[in-house]
Amino acid sequence: MSASYDLLDALQRHRDEDPGAVETFIAFFASSPAVFERTHAAGHFTGSAWVVSADGRRTLLTHHRKLDRWLQPGGHADGERDLSCVALREACEETGLGGLRVEEAIFDLDRHFIPARGLEPGHWHYDVRYVVRAGRDEDFTVSEESHALAWVPVRSLVDDPHVDASLRRMARKWLARG
């Protein structure tokens, strides 16, 4: 079984959660063999991590240097077709946390437009998000990609109008899991 089949299978299993997004992501997947490469002009797949504390009450957010917004860790697939590996890799690189564990199932899907910067044209990110659980050690290290990192109570994100809409959605999903 190839990694590409795994993503399609994971998307199919996520269909009940968000059927419209799943159809959009499957259509994009089928549109070109280059959808996992950042050089694909129309857009590309990315993997993100909803990093949760060992007790599940907090999430680790990064104040993204380029976008100047608080977001979840994540990044480009750069050819990797297993986006859960991308989410875990990005969480490790961006937070410096050890002992992280990624859940196999897709947690959230988000398609968002990235505006043009310099010579890079505007394009779409098809972001596949996974829960990544922290261990006991919650001491993080701020990477060059961030201005700051912070553990934030999940409940505080749900109704905060200053927080990115997709973070509010993930917070609601996480709390609904109990």
Side-chain angles (χ1 to χ4, degrees):
M1 177 160 62
S2 72
S4 62
Y5 177 81
D6 290 344
L7 178 59
L8 287 175
D9 185 51
L11 286 166
Q12 292 290 356
R13 284 183 273 132
H14 192 72
R15 187 179 298 278
D16 289 343
E17 296 270 334
D18 195 348
V22 167
E23 290 307 317
T24 299
F25 276 58
I26 289 174
F28 179 68
F29 178 89
S31 70
S32 168
V35 294
F36 293 92
E37 301 290 343
R38 74 171 75 194
T39 55
H40 188 253
H44 37 263
F45 278 111
T46 56
S48 288
W50 176 251
V51 179
V52 293
S53 58
D55 66 7
R57 294 182 181 158
R58 292 166 292 127
T59 187
L60 186 59
L61 300 181
T62 176
H63 188 224
H64 197 277
R65 187 172 297 278
K66 287 182 182 175
L67 299 176
D68 197 28
R69 294 170 38 200
W70 286 96
L71 299 168
Q72 75 286 344
H76 293 98
D78 292 329
E80 173 62 61
R81 298 171 77 86
D82 184 341
L83 297 177
S84 67
C85 288
V86 173
L88 183 60
R89 177 190 75 215
E90 293 293 328
C92 291
E93 288 176 2
E94 292 182 25
T95 70
L97 290 173
L100 295 175
R101 299 175 330 276
V102 64
E103 290 185 3
E104 179 181 313
I106 292 171
F107 178 61
D108 188 63
L109 297 172
D110 192 71
R111 179 180 175 258
H112 50 271
F113 191 75
I114 303 297
R117 271 182 57 102
L119 297 176
E120 185 178 31
H123 59 278
W124 290 97
H125 277 184
Y126 290 77
D127 196 28
V128 181
R129 297 160 173 191
Y130 295 85
V131 171
V132 174
R133 294 184 176 269
R136 284 187 231 148
D137 182 6
E138 295 182 358
D139 293 334
F140 54 76
T141 303
V142 178
S143 77
E144 292 180 6
E145 295 183 35
S146 302
H147 289 297
L149 293 170
W151 284 106
V152 178
V154 174
R155 287 197 185 285
S156 72
L157 299 173
V158 173
D159 296 316
D160 186 341
H162 303 292
V163 171
D164 182 85
S166 72
L167 286 178
R168 291 194 311 266
R169 181 182 64 240
M170 288 190 292
R172 285 191 300 274
K173 282 182 176 184
W174 181 252
L175 294 173
R177 283 176 64 164

Short mmCIF file of all heavy atoms in Angstrom, two decimals, residues 72-129:
data_model
loop_
_atom_site.label_atom_id
_atom_site.label_comp_id
_atom_site.label_asym_id
_atom_site.label_seq_id
_atom_site.Cartn_x
_atom_site.Cartn_y
_atom_site.Cartn_z
N GLN A 72 -1.17 27.07 14.40
CA GLN A 72 -0.62 25.77 14.79
C GLN A 72 0.65 25.53 14.00
O GLN A 72 0.81 26.07 12.91
CB GLN A 72 -1.64 24.65 14.56
CG GLN A 72 -1.84 24.25 13.11
CD GLN A 72 -2.63 25.26 12.27
OE1 GLN A 72 -3.29 26.13 12.80
NE2 GLN A 72 -2.55 25.11 10.95
N PRO A 73 1.59 24.73 14.52
CA PRO A 73 2.79 24.40 13.74
C PRO A 73 2.41 23.61 12.49
O PRO A 73 1.46 22.82 12.50
CB PRO A 73 3.61 23.52 14.69
CG PRO A 73 3.07 23.80 16.05
CD PRO A 73 1.62 24.16 15.86
N GLY A 74 3.16 23.81 11.44
CA GLY A 74 2.90 23.07 10.21
C GLY A 74 3.79 23.57 9.09
O GLY A 74 4.50 24.57 9.24
N GLY A 75 3.72 22.87 7.96
CA GLY A 75 4.54 23.29 6.85
C GLY A 75 4.35 22.46 5.60
O GLY A 75 3.47 21.60 5.52
N HIS A 76 5.20 22.74 4.63
CA HIS A 76 5.13 22.12 3.31
C HIS A 76 5.48 20.64 3.36
O HIS A 76 6.33 20.21 4.14
CB HIS A 76 6.08 22.83 2.35
CG HIS A 76 5.67 24.22 2.06
ND1 HIS A 76 6.21 25.31 2.71
CD2 HIS A 76 4.75 24.70 1.19
CE1 HIS A 76 5.65 26.40 2.24
NE2 HIS A 76 4.75 26.07 1.33
N ALA A 77 4.84 19.89 2.47
CA ALA A 77 5.11 18.46 2.36
C ALA A 77 6.47 18.21 1.70
O ALA A 77 7.14 17.24 2.02
CB ALA A 77 4.01 17.77 1.56
N ASP A 78 6.86 19.09 0.77
CA ASP A 78 8.15 18.94 0.05
C ASP A 78 8.35 17.53 -0.48
O ASP A 78 9.42 16.93 -0.33
CB ASP A 78 9.31 19.37 0.94
CG ASP A 78 9.32 20.86 1.22
OD1 ASP A 78 8.86 21.63 0.34
OD2 ASP A 78 9.78 21.27 2.30
N GLY A 79 7.31 16.99 -1.09
CA GLY A 79 7.39 15.68 -1.73
C GLY A 79 6.94 14.52 -0.84
O GLY A 79 6.67 13.43 -1.34
N GLU A 80 6.88 14.72 0.45
CA GLU A 80 6.43 13.66 1.38
C GLU A 80 4.92 13.48 1.22
O GLU A 80 4.16 14.43 1.32
CB GLU A 80 6.76 14.05 2.82
CG GLU A 80 6.18 13.11 3.87
CD GLU A 80 6.71 11.69 3.77
OE1 GLU A 80 7.93 11.52 3.91
OE2 GLU A 80 5.89 10.77 3.55
N ARG A 81 4.50 12.25 0.95
CA ARG A 81 3.09 11.97 0.70
C ARG A 81 2.34 11.55 1.96
O ARG A 81 1.13 11.54 1.97
CB ARG A 81 2.98 10.92 -0.39
CG ARG A 81 3.58 11.42 -1.71
CD ARG A 81 3.69 10.33 -2.74
NE ARG A 81 2.44 10.03 -3.37
CZ ARG A 81 1.94 10.66 -4.43
NH1 ARG A 81 2.60 11.66 -4.97
NH2 ARG A 81 0.79 10.30 -4.95
N ASP A 82 3.06 11.24 3.01
CA ASP A 82 2.43 10.91 4.29
C ASP A 82 2.37 12.19 5.12
O ASP A 82 3.34 12.59 5.75
CB ASP A 82 3.22 9.82 5.02
CG ASP A 82 2.55 9.38 6.31
OD1 ASP A 82 1.69 10.12 6.84
OD2 ASP A 82 2.90 8.30 6.80
N LEU A 83 1.22 12.83 5.11
CA LEU A 83 1.10 14.14 5.74
C LEU A 83 1.09 14.07 7.26
O LEU A 83 1.38 15.08 7.92
CB LEU A 83 -0.13 14.88 5.20
CG LEU A 83 -0.04 15.17 3.69
CD1 LEU A 83 -1.32 15.84 3.19
CD2 LEU A 83 1.17 16.01 3.34
N SER A 84 0.83 12.89 7.83
CA SER A 84 0.97 12.77 9.28
C SER A 84 2.45 12.88 9.66
O SER A 84 2.79 13.47 10.69
CB SER A 84 0.37 11.46 9.80
OG SER A 84 1.09 10.34 9.35
N CYS A 85 3.33 12.37 8.81
CA CYS A 85 4.78 12.53 9.03
C CYS A 85 5.19 13.98 8.90
O CYS A 85 6.04 14.46 9.66
CB CYS A 85 5.57 11.67 8.04
SG CYS A 85 5.50 9.91 8.36
N VAL A 86 4.59 14.69 7.96
CA VAL A 86 4.88 16.11 7.78
C VAL A 86 4.47 16.87 9.04
O VAL A 86 5.22 17.69 9.56
CB VAL A 86 4.17 16.69 6.54
CG1 VAL A 86 4.34 18.20 6.46
CG2 VAL A 86 4.68 16.01 5.27
N ALA A 87 3.27 16.59 9.55
CA ALA A 87 2.77 17.27 10.75
C ALA A 87 3.69 17.02 11.94
O ALA A 87 4.05 17.95 12.67
CB ALA A 87 1.35 16.82 11.06
N LEU A 88 4.11 15.78 12.11
CA LEU A 88 5.00 15.45 13.22
C LEU A 88 6.37 16.11 13.05
O LEU A 88 6.91 16.69 14.00
CB LEU A 88 5.15 13.93 13.35
CG LEU A 88 6.00 13.44 14.51
CD1 LEU A 88 5.43 13.89 15.85
CD2 LEU A 88 6.11 11.91 14.46
N ARG A 89 6.91 16.05 11.84
CA ARG A 89 8.21 16.68 11.57
C ARG A 89 8.16 18.18 11.86
O ARG A 89 9.03 18.73 12.53
CB ARG A 89 8.60 16.46 10.10
CG ARG A 89 9.91 17.15 9.70
CD ARG A 89 10.14 17.12 8.20
NE ARG A 89 9.26 18.09 7.56
CZ ARG A 89 8.70 17.93 6.37
NH1 ARG A 89 8.91 16.84 5.66
NH2 ARG A 89 7.93 18.86 5.85
N GLU A 90 7.12 18.84 11.38
CA GLU A 90 6.99 20.28 11.58
C GLU A 90 6.81 20.62 13.06
O GLU A 90 7.37 21.60 13.55
CB GLU A 90 5.85 20.84 10.74
CG GLU A 90 6.09 20.76 9.25
CD GLU A 90 7.22 21.66 8.77
OE1 GLU A 90 7.43 22.74 9.36
OE2 GLU A 90 7.91 21.28 7.80
N ALA A 91 6.05 19.82 13.78
CA ALA A 91 5.86 20.06 15.22
C ALA A 91 7.19 19.94 15.95
O ALA A 91 7.51 20.78 16.80
CB ALA A 91 4.84 19.09 15.79
N CYS A 92 7.97 18.93 15.62
CA CYS A 92 9.28 18.76 16.25
C CYS A 92 10.20 19.92 15.91
O CYS A 92 10.84 20.50 16.80
CB CYS A 92 9.92 17.44 15.81
SG CYS A 92 9.10 15.98 16.44
N GLU A 93 10.29 20.27 14.62
CA GLU A 93 11.19 21.34 14.19
C GLU A 93 10.80 22.70 14.76
O GLU A 93 11.66 23.48 15.13
CB GLU A 93 11.21 21.44 12.66
CG GLU A 93 11.92 20.30 11.97
CD GLU A 93 11.83 20.39 10.45
OE1 GLU A 93 11.24 21.36 9.92
OE2 GLU A 93 12.35 19.46 9.79
N GLU A 94 9.50 22.99 14.80
CA GLU A 94 9.05 24.32 15.19
C GLU A 94 8.93 24.51 16.70
O GLU A 94 8.85 25.64 17.16
CB GLU A 94 7.73 24.65 14.51
CG GLU A 94 7.85 24.82 13.02
CD GLU A 94 6.55 25.20 12.34
OE1 GLU A 94 5.67 25.79 13.00
OE2 GLU A 94 6.41 24.90 11.14
N THR A 95 8.90 23.41 17.46
CA THR A 95 8.70 23.54 18.91
C THR A 95 9.88 23.04 19.73
O THR A 95 10.01 23.41 20.89
CB THR A 95 7.45 22.77 19.38
OG1 THR A 95 7.70 21.36 19.27
CG2 THR A 95 6.22 23.17 18.57
N GLY A 96 10.69 22.17 19.16
CA GLY A 96 11.80 21.59 19.90
C GLY A 96 11.36 20.58 20.94
O GLY A 96 12.19 20.07 21.71
N LEU A 97 10.08 20.25 20.99
CA LEU A 97 9.58 19.28 21.96
C LEU A 97 10.02 17.87 21.58
O LEU A 97 9.98 17.50 20.41
CB LEU A 97 8.05 19.31 22.03
CG LEU A 97 7.39 20.53 22.65
CD1 LEU A 97 5.88 20.46 22.49
CD2 LEU A 97 7.76 20.65 24.12
N GLY A 98 10.40 17.09 22.57
CA GLY A 98 10.71 15.69 22.35
C GLY A 98 9.53 14.83 22.76
O GLY A 98 8.63 15.29 23.46
N GLY A 99 9.52 13.60 22.33
CA GLY A 99 8.49 12.65 22.75
C GLY A 99 7.12 12.91 22.19
O GLY A 99 6.12 12.45 22.75
N LEU A 100 7.02 13.62 21.07
CA LEU A 100 5.72 13.87 20.45
C LEU A 100 5.20 12.62 19.76
O LEU A 100 5.97 11.85 19.20
CB LEU A 100 5.83 15.02 19.44
CG LEU A 100 6.19 16.39 19.98
CD1 LEU A 100 6.38 17.39 18.85
CD2 LEU A 100 5.12 16.88 20.95
N ARG A 101 3.89 12.44 19.79
CA ARG A 101 3.23 11.31 19.12
C ARG A 101 2.09 11.83 18.26
O ARG A 101 1.27 12.61 18.74
CB ARG A 101 2.68 10.33 20.15
CG ARG A 101 3.73 9.72 21.06
CD ARG A 101 3.14 8.83 22.16
NE ARG A 101 1.82 9.16 22.66
CZ ARG A 101 1.55 10.06 23.61
NH1 ARG A 101 2.51 10.76 24.16
NH2 ARG A 101 0.32 10.26 24.02
N VAL A 102 2.03 11.37 17.02
CA VAL A 102 0.97 11.82 16.11
C VAL A 102 -0.12 10.76 16.03
O VAL A 102 0.15 9.56 16.00
CB VAL A 102 1.54 12.14 14.70
CG1 VAL A 102 2.11 10.90 14.03
CG2 VAL A 102 0.50 12.82 13.83
N GLU A 103 -1.38 11.22 16.04
CA GLU A 103 -2.50 10.31 15.83
C GLU A 103 -2.65 10.05 14.34
O GLU A 103 -2.41 10.93 13.52
CB GLU A 103 -3.79 10.91 16.40
CG GLU A 103 -3.81 10.98 17.90
CD GLU A 103 -5.13 11.48 18.47
OE1 GLU A 103 -6.09 11.72 17.69
OE2 GLU A 103 -5.21 11.61 19.71
N GLU A 104 -3.07 8.85 14.00
CA GLU A 104 -3.16 8.42 12.61
C GLU A 104 -4.28 9.12 11.84
O GLU A 104 -4.12 9.46 10.67
CB GLU A 104 -3.38 6.91 12.57
CG GLU A 104 -3.51 6.33 11.19
CD GLU A 104 -3.75 4.83 11.23
OE1 GLU A 104 -3.03 4.14 11.96
OE2 GLU A 104 -4.65 4.38 10.51
N ALA A 105 -5.41 9.35 12.47
CA ALA A 105 -6.58 9.90 11.78
C ALA A 105 -6.43 11.40 11.53
O ALA A 105 -5.85 12.13 12.33
CB ALA A 105 -7.83 9.64 12.59
N ILE A 106 -7.00 11.86 10.43
CA ILE A 106 -7.06 13.28 10.14
C ILE A 106 -7.93 13.95 11.20
O ILE A 106 -9.02 13.45 11.52
CB ILE A 106 -7.62 13.53 8.73
CG1 ILE A 106 -6.64 13.04 7.67
CG2 ILE A 106 -7.97 15.00 8.51
CD1 ILE A 106 -7.19 13.04 6.25
N PHE A 107 -7.49 15.06 11.72
CA PHE A 107 -8.25 15.82 12.70
C PHE A 107 -9.05 16.94 12.04
O PHE A 107 -10.19 17.21 12.40
CB PHE A 107 -7.30 16.40 13.76
CG PHE A 107 -7.97 17.24 14.80
CD1 PHE A 107 -8.94 16.70 15.63
CD2 PHE A 107 -7.62 18.56 14.96
CE1 PHE A 107 -9.56 17.48 16.60
CE2 PHE A 107 -8.23 19.35 15.93
CZ PHE A 107 -9.20 18.81 16.75
N ASP A 108 -8.46 17.60 11.03
CA ASP A 108 -9.10 18.76 10.43
C ASP A 108 -8.53 18.98 9.03
O ASP A 108 -7.39 18.60 8.76
CB ASP A 108 -8.84 20.00 11.30
CG ASP A 108 -9.62 21.22 10.86
OD1 ASP A 108 -10.86 21.17 10.91
OD2 ASP A 108 -8.98 22.22 10.46
N LEU A 109 -9.34 19.59 8.19
CA LEU A 109 -8.90 19.98 6.84
C LEU A 109 -9.14 21.47 6.67
O LEU A 109 -10.19 21.98 7.09
CB LEU A 109 -9.69 19.22 5.77
CG LEU A 109 -9.55 17.71 5.75
CD1 LEU A 109 -10.55 17.10 4.76
CD2 LEU A 109 -8.13 17.30 5.39
N ASP A 110 -8.19 22.15 6.05
CA ASP A 110 -8.36 23.58 5.84
C ASP A 110 -7.67 23.99 4.55
O ASP A 110 -6.47 23.77 4.37
CB ASP A 110 -7.77 24.38 7.00
CG ASP A 110 -8.18 25.84 6.96
OD1 ASP A 110 -9.36 26.12 7.22
OD2 ASP A 110 -7.31 26.68 6.65
N ARG A 111 -8.43 24.57 3.65
CA ARG A 111 -7.90 25.11 2.40
C ARG A 111 -7.86 26.62 2.56
O ARG A 111 -8.88 27.24 2.82
CB ARG A 111 -8.79 24.71 1.23
CG ARG A 111 -8.35 25.24 -0.11
CD ARG A 111 -9.34 24.75 -1.19
NE ARG A 111 -9.05 25.32 -2.47
CZ ARG A 111 -9.73 26.34 -3.02
NH1 ARG A 111 -10.74 26.89 -2.38
NH2 ARG A 111 -9.40 26.79 -4.20
N HIS A 112 -6.66 27.20 2.43
CA HIS A 112 -6.54 28.65 2.60
C HIS A 112 -5.55 29.22 1.60
O HIS A 112 -4.61 28.56 1.19
CB HIS A 112 -6.15 29.02 4.04
CG HIS A 112 -4.97 28.27 4.55
ND1 HIS A 112 -5.07 27.06 5.20
CD2 HIS A 112 -3.65 28.55 4.50
CE1 HIS A 112 -3.87 26.64 5.54
NE2 HIS A 112 -2.98 27.52 5.12
N PHE A 113 -5.81 30.47 1.22
CA PHE A 113 -4.99 31.13 0.21
C PHE A 113 -3.82 31.84 0.87
O PHE A 113 -3.98 32.53 1.88
CB PHE A 113 -5.83 32.15 -0.57
CG PHE A 113 -5.13 32.67 -1.79
CD1 PHE A 113 -5.02 31.88 -2.92
CD2 PHE A 113 -4.59 33.94 -1.80
CE1 PHE A 113 -4.36 32.35 -4.05
CE2 PHE A 113 -3.93 34.42 -2.92
CZ PHE A 113 -3.82 33.63 -4.05
N ILE A 114 -2.65 31.64 0.29
CA ILE A 114 -1.43 32.31 0.74
C ILE A 114 -1.13 33.42 -0.27
O ILE A 114 -0.92 33.15 -1.45
CB ILE A 114 -0.23 31.32 0.81
CG1 ILE A 114 -0.56 30.14 1.73
CG2 ILE A 114 1.04 32.04 1.22
CD1 ILE A 114 -0.79 30.52 3.19
N PRO A 115 -1.14 34.68 0.19
CA PRO A 115 -0.90 35.79 -0.75
C PRO A 115 0.52 35.77 -1.32
O PRO A 115 1.43 35.19 -0.73
CB PRO A 115 -1.10 37.04 0.11
CG PRO A 115 -1.55 36.59 1.45
CD PRO A 115 -1.38 35.11 1.55
N ALA A 116 0.68 36.43 -2.45
CA ALA A 116 1.99 36.54 -3.08
C ALA A 116 2.97 37.23 -2.14
O ALA A 116 2.60 38.14 -1.40
CB ALA A 116 1.87 37.33 -4.38
N ARG A 117 4.22 36.73 -2.15
CA ARG A 117 5.32 37.34 -1.37
C ARG A 117 6.55 37.35 -2.25
O ARG A 117 7.02 36.30 -2.67
CB ARG A 117 5.63 36.52 -0.12
CG ARG A 117 4.83 36.87 1.09
CD ARG A 117 5.28 36.02 2.26
NE ARG A 117 6.69 36.13 2.56
CZ ARG A 117 7.19 36.87 3.56
NH1 ARG A 117 6.39 37.53 4.33
NH2 ARG A 117 8.48 36.91 3.78
N GLY A 118 7.06 38.54 -2.51
CA GLY A 118 8.24 38.62 -3.36
C GLY A 118 7.97 38.03 -4.73
O GLY A 118 7.00 38.39 -5.39
N LEU A 119 8.81 37.08 -5.14
CA LEU A 119 8.65 36.43 -6.44
C LEU A 119 7.68 35.25 -6.40
O LEU A 119 7.34 34.71 -7.45
CB LEU A 119 10.02 35.95 -6.95
CG LEU A 119 11.05 37.05 -7.20
CD1 LEU A 119 12.39 36.44 -7.60
CD2 LEU A 119 10.56 38.02 -8.26
N GLU A 120 7.25 34.87 -5.20
CA GLU A 120 6.33 33.73 -5.08
C GLU A 120 4.90 34.19 -5.29
O GLU A 120 4.41 35.06 -4.57
CB GLU A 120 6.48 33.09 -3.69
CG GLU A 120 5.65 31.86 -3.52
CD GLU A 120 5.85 31.21 -2.16
OE1 GLU A 120 6.12 31.93 -1.18
OE2 GLU A 120 5.70 29.99 -2.09
N PRO A 121 4.22 33.62 -6.30
CA PRO A 121 2.83 34.03 -6.55
C PRO A 121 1.90 33.51 -5.45
O PRO A 121 2.22 32.57 -4.72
CB PRO A 121 2.51 33.37 -7.90
CG PRO A 121 3.44 32.21 -7.98
CD PRO A 121 4.68 32.59 -7.21
N GLY A 122 0.73 34.12 -5.35
CA GLY A 122 -0.29 33.61 -4.44
C GLY A 122 -0.67 32.20 -4.83
O GLY A 122 -0.62 31.84 -6.02
N HIS A 123 -1.02 31.38 -3.85
CA HIS A 123 -1.36 29.98 -4.11
C HIS A 123 -2.18 29.43 -2.95
O HIS A 123 -2.28 30.04 -1.90
CB HIS A 123 -0.09 29.14 -4.32
CG HIS A 123 0.82 29.18 -3.13
ND1 HIS A 123 1.71 30.22 -2.92
CD2 HIS A 123 1.00 28.33 -2.09
CE1 HIS A 123 2.38 30.00 -1.80
NE2 HIS A 123 1.97 28.85 -1.29
N TRP A 124 -2.73 28.25 -3.14
CA TRP A 124 -3.55 27.59 -2.13
C TRP A 124 -2.75 26.57 -1.33
O TRP A 124 -1.92 25.85 -1.89
CB TRP A 124 -4.74 26.86 -2.79
CG TRP A 124 -5.75 27.81 -3.34
CD1 TRP A 124 -5.86 28.24 -4.63
CD2 TRP A 124 -6.78 28.47 -2.61
NE1 TRP A 124 -6.90 29.11 -4.74
CE2 TRP A 124 -7.49 29.28 -3.53
CE3 TRP A 124 -7.19 28.46 -1.27
CZ2 TRP A 124 -8.57 30.05 -3.14
CZ3 TRP A 124 -8.27 29.23 -0.90
CH2 TRP A 124 -8.95 30.02 -1.83
N HIS A 125 -3.01 26.52 -0.05
CA HIS A 125 -2.52 25.45 0.80
C HIS A 125 -3.69 24.54 1.12
O HIS A 125 -4.74 25.00 1.57
CB HIS A 125 -1.94 25.99 2.11
CG HIS A 125 -0.53 26.45 2.01
ND1 HIS A 125 0.18 26.89 3.09
CD2 HIS A 125 0.31 26.53 0.95
CE1 HIS A 125 1.39 27.23 2.71
NE2 HIS A 125 1.50 27.02 1.41
N TYR A 126 -3.51 23.27 0.86
CA TYR A 126 -4.46 22.23 1.22
C TYR A 126 -3.89 21.58 2.47
O TYR A 126 -3.07 20.67 2.38
CB TYR A 126 -4.64 21.24 0.08
CG TYR A 126 -5.37 21.83 -1.11
CD1 TYR A 126 -4.73 22.68 -2.00
CD2 TYR A 126 -6.72 21.54 -1.32
CE1 TYR A 126 -5.41 23.24 -3.08
CE2 TYR A 126 -7.40 22.09 -2.40
CZ TYR A 126 -6.74 22.93 -3.27
OH TYR A 126 -7.41 23.48 -4.34
N ASP A 127 -4.29 22.09 3.62
CA ASP A 127 -3.66 21.73 4.88
C ASP A 127 -4.41 20.58 5.55
O ASP A 127 -5.59 20.71 5.88
CB ASP A 127 -3.64 22.96 5.80
CG ASP A 127 -2.68 22.80 6.96
OD1 ASP A 127 -1.67 22.08 6.81
OD2 ASP A 127 -2.93 23.43 8.00
N VAL A 128 -3.71 19.49 5.76
CA VAL A 128 -4.25 18.32 6.44
C VAL A 128 -3.66 18.33 7.84
O VAL A 128 -2.44 18.35 8.02
CB VAL A 128 -3.90 17.01 5.70
CG1 VAL A 128 -4.49 15.81 6.41
CG2 VAL A 128 -4.39 17.08 4.25
N ARG A 129 -4.54 18.34 8.85
CA ARG A 129 -4.12 18.55 10.23
C ARG A 129 -4.33 17.30 11.07
O ARG A 129 -5.36 16.63 10.95
CB ARG A 129 -4.91 19.73 10.81
CG ARG A 129 -4.58 21.00 10.05
CD ARG A 129 -5.61 22.06 10.23
NE ARG A 129 -5.14 23.30 9.61
CZ ARG A 129 -5.73 24.46 9.78
NH1 ARG A 129 -6.79 24.56 10.55
NH2 ARG A 129 -5.26 25.53 9.19
#
